[in-house]
């Protein structure tokens, strides 16, 4: 019997969204290889077997790659946290990134890793990454994906990006695996939308500028952005 969260495994939703996603291939792991991942093994028969499987799946793409598993990427691995931003150049470096991630090892231990997803690495312009919020089959909001700062140029494009998202949503509405979820997208300079990931509604998915998964929404909120920093003037006294 399948789990309700199985629809959010990348290998399950990708076929429906391949036309609007980055090209991807999949390396399905065997149980001994998953055990090697759980144990963080970089070498050994099972690790080497997994590396060969990943290498085969990498063949369609040249250059740098981006790897993830069913539900997540190894964003806590040293390679991801470095200036490489998760890019790997070989199956071995891909496996090292996965096995070096506490998050991926925990998912594997919980039975939530079946495969490795390989995509050609692409640099994204951070201000054009967004999360769409779909509730009961309706697009209710979109949020700036990374909340590290306020981008003034986003304010000028705020309404335009919201309109792009609405048009895109109408195109994919019938393909959604469930009617309440969150979709990570990237809007290119030519206003093309790329699906990056599909996530369940609620924790552990971050609500970002939507703030609260339980908030009541009576009408669409539009594109939600990090506000500009506040400036304090006058006679200001600070004490500690």
């Amino acid at each position: 019997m399948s789990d309700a969260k199985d629809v959010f495994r990348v290998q399950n939703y990708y076929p429906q969204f391949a036309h609007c996603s980055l090209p991807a291939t999949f390396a399905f792991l065997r149980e001994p290889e998953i055990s090697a991942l759980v144990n963080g093994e970089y070498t050994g028969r099972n690790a080497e077997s997994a590396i060969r499987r990943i290498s085969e799946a990498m063949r369609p793409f040249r250059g740098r790659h981006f790897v993830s598993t069913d539900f997540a990427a190894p964003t806590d691995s040293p390679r991801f946290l470095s200036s490489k931003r998760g890019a790997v150049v070989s199956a071995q470096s891909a496996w090292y990134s996965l096995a070096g991630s506490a998050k991926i090892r925990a998912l594997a231990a919980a039975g939530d890793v079946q495969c490795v997803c390989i995509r050609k690495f692409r640099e994204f312009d951070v201000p054009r990454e967004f999360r769409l919020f779909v509730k009961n089959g309706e697009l209710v909001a979109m949020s700036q994906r990374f909340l590290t700062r306020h981008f003034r140029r986003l304010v000028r494009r705020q309404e335009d990006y919201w309109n792009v998202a609405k048009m895109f949503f109408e195109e994919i509405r019938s393909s959604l695996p469930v009617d309440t979820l969150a979709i990570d997208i990237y809007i290119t300079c030519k206003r093309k939308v790329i699906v990056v990931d599909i996530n369940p509604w609620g924790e552990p998915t971050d609500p970002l500028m939507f703030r609260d998964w339980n908030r009541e929404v009576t009408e669409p909120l539009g594109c939600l952005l990090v506000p500009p920093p506040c400036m304090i003037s006058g006679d200001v006294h600070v004490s500690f």
Side-chain angles (χ1 to χ4, degrees), residues 115-132:
C115 74
V116 177
C117 174
I118 297 101
R119 297 182 175 97
K120 186 172 178 60
F121 182 81
R122 174 170 175 170
E123 292 272 6
F124 282 157
D125 184 20
V126 168
R128 295 207 299 266
E129 293 189 63
F130 298 93
R131 175 163 289 168
L132 305 183

Side-chain angles (χ1 to χ4, degrees), residues 171-185:
E171 294 174 6
I172 65 166
R173 182 198 291 265
S174 62
S175 299
L176 297 178
V178 292
D179 64 2
T180 299
L181 74 171
I183 308 171
D184 290 344
I185 65 167

Side-chain angles (χ1 to χ4, degrees), residues 70-192:
D70 307 40
F71 296 112
T75 53
D76 59 337
S77 69
R79 178 172 291 272
F80 202 101
L81 296 173
S82 72
S83 59
K84 294 181 175 64
R85 299 185 64 185
V88 297
V89 295
S90 68
Q92 187 174 51
S93 60
W95 180 258
Y96 283 10
S97 184
L98 295 168
S101 165
K103 178 172 67 173
I104 298 300
R105 293 197 304 271
L107 286 169
D112 287 334
V113 172
Q114 296 175 356
C115 74
V116 177
C117 174
I118 297 101
R119 297 182 175 97
K120 186 172 178 60
F121 182 81
R122 174 170 175 170
E123 292 272 6
F124 282 157
D125 184 20
V126 168
R128 295 207 299 266
E129 293 189 63
F130 298 93
R131 175 163 289 168
L132 305 183
F133 297 86
V134 180
K135 190 171 185 179
N136 298 324
E138 299 295 332
L139 179 63
V140 297
M142 69 186 288
S143 169
Q144 181 178 328
R145 178 68 181 83
F146 293 97
L147 310 185
T148 52
R149 54 167 287 195
H150 168 74
F151 293 97
R152 284 188 295 176
R153 64 180 165 125
L154 277 182
V155 177
R156 297 192 297 270
R157 302 292 304 277
Q158 189 171 9
E159 192 63 29
D160 180 48
Y161 283 149
W162 175 240
N163 288 331
V164 169
K166 287 193 296 183
M167 288 188 291
F168 175 72
F169 176 71
E170 290 303 321
E171 294 174 6
I172 65 166
R173 182 198 291 265
S174 62
S175 299
L176 297 178
V178 292
D179 64 2
T180 299
L181 74 171
I183 308 171
D184 290 344
I185 65 167
Y186 180 72
I187 301 178
T188 71
C189 58
K190 295 182 178 180
R191 302 172 83 245
K192 177 183 177 181

Side-chain angles (χ1 to χ4, degrees), residues 198-211:
I198 294 181
N199 308 286
W201 183 278
E203 299 296 338
T205 307
D206 192 331
L208 304 174
M209 293 303 296
F210 189 71
R211 299 298 190 192

Side-chain angles (χ1 to χ4, degrees), residues 43-75:
T43 59
R45 184 175 63 181
N46 293 322
E48 291 167 3
S49 173
I51 290 170
R52 286 194 297 271
R53 205 176 301 282
I54 294 170
S55 179
E56 186 69 24
M58 280 183 168
R59 285 191 176 184
F61 309 126
R62 293 185 177 181
R64 296 184 297 171
H65 307 79
F66 183 86
V67 295
S68 62
T69 57
D70 307 40
F71 296 112
T75 53

